[in-house]
Amino acid sequence: SFCTLLEEAATMTSVDGTIQLLLTVGECKATLRQGWVENGIRDPESVAAHMHRMSVLCMLCPDTTLDRDRMIKMALSHDVPEAIAGDVTPAMKVSKDAKVAKERKGMQSMAALVPGSDGVALMAALWEEYEAQETRESHFVRDMDLLEMMLQAFRYEATDAKDLSGFFSAVPRLQHPWAREIAERLLTLRQERAA
């Protein structure tokens, strides 16, 4: 199991640790987004697919006052601990503190696989920045997290013929004007499709 391998990290070479880190991060490809599972979606996206489109959204950011490269990296890092911790949804009734603690432990376990790695340290720092929500970049990436969820819900409403209105309730939480503009247009497209 991954937990056993993580415990053996102390005896690994740097290359072995890197391989194990990459295999662990790769679990994001197999970790399904639980909100879609809970809603009976036939082919739910993975955590990795979610982070990928979030990163593309960050690449498209028209706001030149934000650090685009940092946001892309943050989007790629923000759910990486779910490779170990799993994807937690509100329906699971896990407190935010418990969720963050579990994810932090996962990130620390991954960092221990490649001690001294600048890349892993950056990934952990970006995850912490995202969780703290104290920078403009972390706010934008959070918006992209919500916007990507809405884009996926829009698709699933078409492919699975389901009403996923609850996923669009996040529109008022969007802070950046570009994110709001896209989300509001998506709502219009939903209405037009339903007519």
Side-chain angles (χ1 to χ4, degrees):
S1 83
F2 280 104
C3 293
T4 303
L5 291 170
L6 291 174
E7 291 167 4
E8 296 170 0
T11 62
M12 291 184 182
T13 67
S14 174
V15 171
D16 290 339
T18 299
I19 290 169
Q20 191 54 52
L21 172 69
L22 294 171
L23 291 171
T24 302
V25 170
E27 285 299 301
C28 288
K29 293 177 173 186
T31 304
L32 301 179
R33 299 262 292 160
Q34 289 302 301
W36 307 129
V37 173
E38 291 166 359
N39 278 275
I41 299 300
R42 285 181 307 223
D43 186 22
E45 74 173 336
S46 68
V47 169
H50 166 67
M51 291 189 296
H52 175 264
R53 185 159 48 187
M54 276 182 66
S55 301
V56 172
L57 283 163
C58 289
M59 287 178 76
L60 298 175
C61 174
D63 188 339
T64 58
T65 68
L66 297 171
D67 184 340
R68 181 182 297 157
D69 289 343
R70 185 167 191 80
M71 295 187 309
I72 293 166
K73 292 172 187 173
M74 191 181 298
L76 287 169
S77 303
H78 89 287
D79 277 344
V80 164
E82 292 182 11
I84 294 174
D87 186 28
V88 176
T89 67
M92 295 175 181
K93 301 196 184 313
V94 175
S95 74
K96 174 144 177 74
D97 289 343
K99 176 185 181 294
V100 170
K102 189 174 180 180
E103 290 181 358
R104 182 172 286 118
K105 185 176 179 182
M107 184 60 84
Q108 290 167 346
S109 295
M110 286 187 274
L113 291 169
V114 192
S117 165
D118 291 346
V120 176
L122 176 60
M123 187 169 33
L126 289 168
W127 178 82
E128 290 286 355
E129 181 180 343
Y130 177 81
E131 288 299 323
Q133 286 294 297
E134 294 174 352
T135 64
R136 292 179 64 232
E137 285 77 10
S138 66
H139 295 161
F140 185 85
V141 175
R142 178 63 180 158
D143 278 359
M144 296 307 99
D145 192 7
L146 297 171
L147 184 57
E148 196 287 327
M149 174 192 70
M150 288 181 253
L151 286 162
Q152 195 65 35
F154 183 79
R155 177 179 179 267
Y156 287 147
E157 284 188 326
T159 62
D160 286 44
K162 289 194 176 272
D163 178 6
L164 298 171
S165 298
F167 289 93
F168 294 91
S169 65
V171 171
R173 293 170 46 201
L174 297 173
Q175 297 178 25
H176 197 278
W178 186 69
R180 279 196 308 272
E181 181 182 8
I182 294 170
E184 288 166 6
R185 179 63 181 147
L186 207 54
L187 291 177
T188 302
L189 292 171
R190 278 184 82 227
Q191 291 170 347
E192 290 172 2
R193 186 167 64 191

